[in-house]
Amino acid sequence: ADQDHAVRKQQIRVALQNALAKLPGNQRAALLLCHYEEMSYDEAAISLEVSVGAIKSLVHRAREKLSLELSEFVREEEAIHAV
């Protein structure tokens, strides 16, 4: 059970990395700054030299794309385990 959990965790990590890699560079940068580097929208806007509104839009679109990519991963995994 522990090994299954570790394998599943690794599969999720790889799926997330793949989904992040598919994002356009500006969306990926905005998302990483705001979520992983824990920058405020203001700080991320300064860092990327765009407006706060642009950061909010980039992060929103990135989240939507990640959600779509990862939901496809979950459906594939559910189909595999249903067999």
Side-chain angles (χ1 to χ4, degrees):
D2 285 344
Q3 186 177 6
D4 289 344
H5 180 70
V7 168
R8 179 76 176 140
K9 220 171 148 177
Q10 179 62 22
Q11 289 171 333
I12 292 168
R13 187 177 295 115
V14 168
L16 179 57
Q17 289 172 343
N18 289 341
L20 282 169
K22 290 180 181 179
L23 292 175
N26 57 352
Q27 289 179 17
R28 183 174 49 252
L31 184 73
L32 292 175
L33 290 175
C34 292
H35 286 283
Y36 296 98
E37 299 296 327
E38 299 180 358
M39 282 188 180
S40 68
Y41 287 137
D42 290 338
E43 292 169 327
I46 291 167
S47 178
L48 295 179
E49 299 179 348
V50 298
S51 69
V52 172
I55 288 292
K56 289 179 180 180
S57 178
L58 290 167
V59 169
H60 177 74
R61 288 195 305 256
R63 284 181 188 149
E64 285 184 331
K65 288 180 181 179
L66 281 181
S67 179
L68 180 63
E69 283 286 326
L70 295 176
S71 69
E72 290 175 9
F73 169 77
V74 169
R75 279 197 301 278
E76 289 172 8
E77 287 296 302
E78 288 173 347
I80 290 168
H81 294 293
V83 174

